[in-house]
Amino acid sequence: MHIAEGVLSVPVLAAGAATTFVGIWIGLRRLEENRLILAAVLAATFFVGSLIHVPLGPSSVHLLLNGLAGLLLGWIAFPVLFVGLLLQAVLFQFGGLLVLGVNTCTVALPAVLCGCLLRALLARGGRTALVAGFAAGAGAVLGTALLTALALTLTDQGFLVAAKLVVAAHLPLAAVEGLVAMFAVGFLGRTRPDLLAGRMTSAGEAMPC
Amino acid sequence: MFMQITELSNGYSRLLSRVDPRAKLLAAGLCMVCVSAIRGFDAALAALLFALVLTFAAGVRLQNAVLRLAPANVFFLVLGFVLGLSYPGKTPEGIPWISLDGLELALRIAVKGNTLLLVFMAMVCTSSVPALSHALQALGLPRKLTLLLAFTHGQVFLVRDEFHRLHRAALARGFSPRCTMHTYRTYAVLLGQTVLRSLSRAERIHGAMLLRGFTGRFHTLASPALGWREILLVAALGMVPVLICLHDRWPL
């Protein structure tokens, strides 16, 4: 979800940028130098994944994949999603430079929260992991929609109807994201269970949450 | 199904595309802050005119600019529709359900939004991502973050090709995307497979980079100098929105 340039007020832009700054700072502290390539490859995967249009009813939606990123990367999802959104702004003009802080905050903050809350359930495997995958996928998208609506409403009370529509429009996407994240967790659980236990390399080194 | 990735920095040799990305980033930041502070509609239109001139000076093709502005303008159109029907304020005589204030606000947002995007396109997107990554590092962004940006940009095209291959293989096996559980499971498996292949590629790349003596720094062959002429040019460009903004806030 990208809020376009020119919509939000300066205080909201500043608050979003400050939150993103803190998130990126924590994420970078947890990202070790020798995992940069790993994080970059996953960032590229989430970037590419978010460009896929998945059928939904008579139309199609593009995935956010922030829930899955939060589950796999924890706080490192903040710099990873920031880089993805910056690339989307540069390559497609989705979002923009001034609104990048708010857009990162709305996408990455729910992702990190879902990741940190639900990661422990992934390690249990089986149905519990699938439920955690669905909850992370759907919850992160709902969180993104709610934060976007909050940013619009804090800018101007007159945006309240638009903010409600943003949340309503994200409900079907949340369901699709939940399903995709659930199936992806199931697939990763069968092929690389170590990933769901918080280990991102075959060497068994952990990506801390 | 899949969005094409194209870069504005390819093949442009106009004046602005040769300017040092650091100077362009600073000027873009200044311009964008000034444009976002504009309140009046006349000043917003003047800034839009300036942004159009800037886009022409940067050598961005009209077709490219229109295509890139389209998604934001769809958003502005929807916002205008919603605000026009729901924003509190004046209504035209005989049509009480339309808000003139809402329509005016939506129009101002659209003009400012397009201006900001055009400035961003002309000043930032005409530089390559590796050059931007260098410039951001020179401007004080953490090295890890700029390296992450450069690495990610390098990997995006490989991962995209990887995903395309997997998707084509699925289509060849009779996969037809529909709004069904099978479709979502297939996309999830394609994504999961891409993640797995990406992880093993990451390990190979990391090993190869260490073998080639990577010490955490990228060196670029293209190193445009930040000379006085460039600084003056960018300062002159940056001054225009500053003056527009000042005139908007404190008219003579």
Side-chain angles (χ1 to χ4, degrees):
Chain A
M1 176 66 200
H2 306 88
I3 303 179
E5 290 278 28
V7 179
L8 300 178
S9 66
V10 175
V12 172
L13 291 173
T19 313
T20 297
F21 177 82
V22 174
I24 289 176
W25 182 71
I26 297 172
L28 288 180
R29 275 177 68 89
R30 295 178 183 219
L31 177 59
E32 289 166 21
E33 198 90 21
N34 59 354
R35 308 277 169 73
L36 268 173
I37 279 286
L38 186 65
V41 171
L42 285 172
T45 308
F46 290 121
F47 176 87
V48 169
S50 69
L51 302 180
I52 305 164
H53 286 261
V54 175
L56 178 65
S59 181
S60 67
V61 289
H62 80 85
L63 299 172
L64 281 178
L65 297 176
N66 53 341
L68 199 57
L71 275 181
L72 293 179
L73 296 166
W75 275 99
I76 296 166
F78 239 108
V80 159
L81 292 171
F82 170 81
V83 162
L85 289 169
L86 178 58
L87 282 176
Q88 286 193 359
V90 172
L91 297 176
F92 307 119
Q93 260 73 61
F94 291 170
L97 198 62
L98 286 185
V99 82
L100 185 61
V102 173
N103 281 336
T104 307
C105 174
T106 57
V107 173
L109 196 59
V112 171
L113 287 177
C114 286
C116 290
L117 288 174
L118 299 165
R119 233 172 154 186
L121 298 178
L122 283 185
R124 295 188 192 174
R127 284 192 178 176
T128 315
L130 293 182
V131 171
F134 182 87
V141 171
L142 283 179
T144 298
L146 288 172
L147 283 179
T148 305
L150 182 69
L152 286 171
T153 315
L154 287 176
T155 292
D156 190 331
Q157 288 293 318
F159 286 156
L160 191 62
V161 175
K164 285 178 184 170
L165 284 175
V166 165
V167 177
H170 275 76
L171 292 176
L173 175 62
V176 172
E177 282 266 348
L179 289 172
V180 171
M182 180 182 78
F183 289 130
V185 162
F187 173 77
L188 292 174
R190 288 193 300 277
T191 50
R192 282 281 300 270
D194 56 313
L195 289 182
L196 304 187
R199 287 186 284 275
M200 297 300 296
T201 68
S202 58
E205 301 161 44
M207 275 267 201
C209 183
Chain B
M1 193 289 298
F2 206 84
M3 195 174 285
Q4 290 298 316
I5 303 172
T6 50
E7 290 186 78
L8 272 186
S9 59
N10 290 339
Y12 293 93
S13 59
R14 292 281 182 95
L15 186 64
L16 267 178
S17 55
R18 291 196 300 265
V19 175
D20 187 291
R22 287 170 291 181
K24 284 201 291 184
L25 274 170
L26 288 174
L30 181 65
C31 287
M32 293 173 88
V33 168
C34 289
V35 171
S36 66
I38 288 174
R39 288 177 184 167
F41 193 70
D42 293 345
L45 279 178
L48 178 62
L49 191 66
F50 165 72
L52 285 168
V53 172
L54 209 59
T55 312
F56 176 74
V60 179
R61 289 191 194 101
L62 184 67
Q63 188 191 1
N64 269 340
V66 169
L67 280 175
R68 282 164 175 260
L69 291 177
N73 280 291
V74 169
F75 177 81
F76 294 139
L77 206 62
V78 173
L79 191 69
F81 184 73
V82 174
L83 291 181
L85 292 176
S86 67
Y87 199 79
K90 283 183 290 182
T91 57
E93 220 170 292
I95 320 172
W97 59 85
I98 290 183
S99 162
L100 286 177
D101 287 347
L103 289 176
E104 191 192 328
L105 176 64
L107 195 60
R108 199 165 63 235
I109 286 172
V111 171
K112 280 174 67 174
N114 278 298
T115 306
L116 289 165
L117 284 173
L118 284 171
V119 170
F120 183 60
M121 207 187 294
M123 305 282 263
V124 181
C125 302
T126 44
S127 298
S128 68
V129 174
L132 283 177
S133 146
H134 270 279
L136 288 170
Q137 191 175 333
L139 291 174
L141 252 74
R143 192 177 55 83
K144 269 192 214 171
L145 192 62
T146 55
L147 275 179
L148 186 62
L149 176 64
F151 284 149
T152 304
H153 176 255
Q155 292 301 310
V156 156
F157 299 93
L158 293 172
V159 174
R160 179 199 58 182
D161 293 344
E162 184 87 63
F163 188 86
H164 268 169
R165 267 195 299 277
L166 290 169
H167 189 252
R168 272 201 304 272
L171 291 176
R173 290 190 194 97
F175 168 59
S176 166
R178 289 195 191 93
C179 184
T180 59
M181 206 61 92
H182 173 70
T183 297
Y184 301 138
R185 185 184 287 121
T186 306
Y187 275 119
V189 169
L190 291 182
L191 273 172
Q193 193 66 45
T194 312
V195 167
L196 292 186
R197 292 185 182 202
S198 301
L199 288 176
S200 57
R201 183 191 295 116
E203 285 172 23
R204 290 198 303 276
I205 294 169
H206 185 62
M209 285 176 70
L210 289 180
L211 280 173
R212 287 184 178 91
F214 180 66
T215 54
R217 283 195 186 281
F218 267 131
H219 302 281
T220 174
L221 291 174
S223 54
L226 192 59
W228 279 107
R229 280 170 61 185
E230 281 189 313
I231 292 172
L232 283 176
L233 174 75
V234 171
L237 289 175
M239 279 309 286
V240 179
V242 170
L243 290 175
I244 293 172
C245 182
L246 287 176
H247 182 67
D248 175 56
R249 289 299 182 101
W250 297 282
L252 294 173

